[in-house]
Amino acid sequence: MKPFLSVVCANLRGSNAKRRQDKQTNKREVNAGQPVFIKSHHDRSLVFADSLLLKTLCGSMSTEQLQSRVNPSLHSSPGGCLSLTFEADFSNTERHTGFRAFYTVQDVDECWHSDLKCSHFCQNYIGGYSCSCKPGYHLSEDRHTCIVNCTEERFGSGVLTPPGSPGPYYENAHCSYTLTVDEGEQLILSFIGEFDVESRDGRCVDSLTIKTDSATFGPFCGQEAPAPINTAARRIKVLFRTDQGGTNQGFSLSYNTKLMECPGIVTANSILSPQKRVYTKGDTVTVQCVTGYSVDSATKKTFESTCLRSGKWSPVYSCELVDCGIPEIKEPDLIALTEEDPLTTYKQNISFRCLSEHYKLHGHDSFTCNASGQWETIEHLLSPQVDLPRCIPVCGMNKQTFSAGRVFGGEDAKLGQIPWQLLTKQPNRGGASLISDRWAITAAHVVVGQETKTLMFYGGMIDSLDQNAVKMETEKIIIHPGYKVENPYQTNYDNDIALVKMSARVPLSTNIMPVCLPEKSNGPVMEGKLGTVSGFGGTSENPLRSRYLQYGHVKEYSEVPCFDTTLKVTDNMFCAGGDEGVDTCKGDAGGPLVIPLLGRGSPETPYRLKGIVSWGPAKCGDTNFKGYYTKVENYLDWIRETMETN
């Protein structure tokens, strides 16, 4: 079988176009003319619209049959193609006449058939269509939608109504009216008559909005007219927006003029003096910021402002919320704010914390920003010089407790058991007690003559040869002014006390911590308690020195002399010793005597430095003789004053 293909594609339009207001499209038609005589079952004619098969024809049909059954369906889509395929084989036993087809091109009425609707009117023409609008409207950029663009400028007084008034206002309206009056005057707006702007479920479908340079009124809609508006402006914009439907009646806006008035507020967060109902040109007021606010974040609370002809105040300054700022922290490595970025304005609170567990906060920890821009506690204002909280070392705590031993002939101390014990080796071997992270206390005779030199102290260890010991260089050595050296052999130990300031802060840990200073007492120095004395001095095995830290328990002897001596004994000394030869010896001088007994300290009962190893009999460990200790509580004022001033 050989196919014969005929394709009909046309873009022509006929002249018998009809005009309607609905959109139409173009179509092409093929009409069969003469009867079809295709007898063979193997011969046929196929008609396609684009790729869609419309009809398969064979056999014999009259013109009337074609017109009624076939032709009505033989048309293309708008702008499309019709194709005709004829197929015949070689088995014809008789001659057939075939067929005859005619094709035409017809114009389509877009106004009738198209989905693109014109808002108002549609005009069809050969080859296309166009939209047009009712009077008062014009086509938008999409060439289909009719809109109202009612931009207008007015001066003075009058009445403003929406486009289409009287009667329903126009749809698709985008109105912008500019109303202006002379300088020194302001516009007063009031709605008169009916107010009817479309709304639905409490929301504006259409809207009326009034704007000045400094305020916006609206949007308004519904059927309740807004209250009169004193715009306080000589130039305003009235914006009216509508959608595509509705039959609402709109509004009548009366606009009139009056002398310009200044508003009853100059700046936020302030009050005016004098108070008046109306302020006009030339009025001058005192503006006072309310509590907690100040002028431009400064300490100034008031300023004067004058009402100008334009209805504006001048000058105008802001009343800003008072900000106390972040206090300057002098030791940021020890103390910090509890919050990293706290609020610091009026009535806000800040608090402090120590960065190390080995320190505790001294002073007020919480402050509130007051209306004057200063931090204060419940009791008083914060003064950076004296009232900022400080982190001071935790004192009188040790790592753990163990059973008692002896200094002369005693047992070794454990690491962290006596963390305030210090040792100096040159030029004189002696002990000291750490009393803060910068200061130590010792006997004057240990450091006398070294005031202008730099000594080395060791701490945080129990082995005097420990290479990992904390090393501390001295910055200042301050001997009590009452200490006197009467001869080279030291015949007077009165005021045998000295303070040593280290050149850098001592790194506190569980192995090196300060001991607490004592409290003044009216009775016995040791309060009738057993105490503990420690040092790296002589032992029974080595009367000159001990490699390891030793300690022993002693008690106070107040009624009998420690031993017979020609040296002067004063009220700045007290006698103490232990049983079975427990005693201090050469090399222990300057070391601590603390209460309570080692192993019985607690946060409620910290270890306190009651005595400093000072002097004793020539022979150590004699059960009949005891040693003398400097009475630390007699020097508390001198200690604190010296530390504060140095």
Side-chain angles (χ1 to χ4, degrees), residues 16 145 259 280 288 314 368 485:
N16 297 322
T145 306
L259 289 177
T280 57
Q288 181 175 358
S314 182
T368 302
V485 179

Side-chain angles (χ1 to χ4, degrees), residues 356-359 397 416 419 460 470 506-514:
S356 169
E357 62 179 337
H358 301 297
Y359 289 81
M397 297 291 106
V470 177
V506 178
L508 302 184
S509 68
T510 54
N511 295 330
I512 182 165
M513 293 183 67

Side-chain angles (χ1 to χ4, degrees), residues 45 78 99 121 156 161 163 207 282 286 317 370 435 438 444 469 476 523 540 581:
S45 180
F99 63 87
F121 306 114
T161 58
S207 65
T286 298
Y317 303 104
N370 67 17
I435 58 173
R438 289 294 295 270
K476 289 183 180 180
S540 57

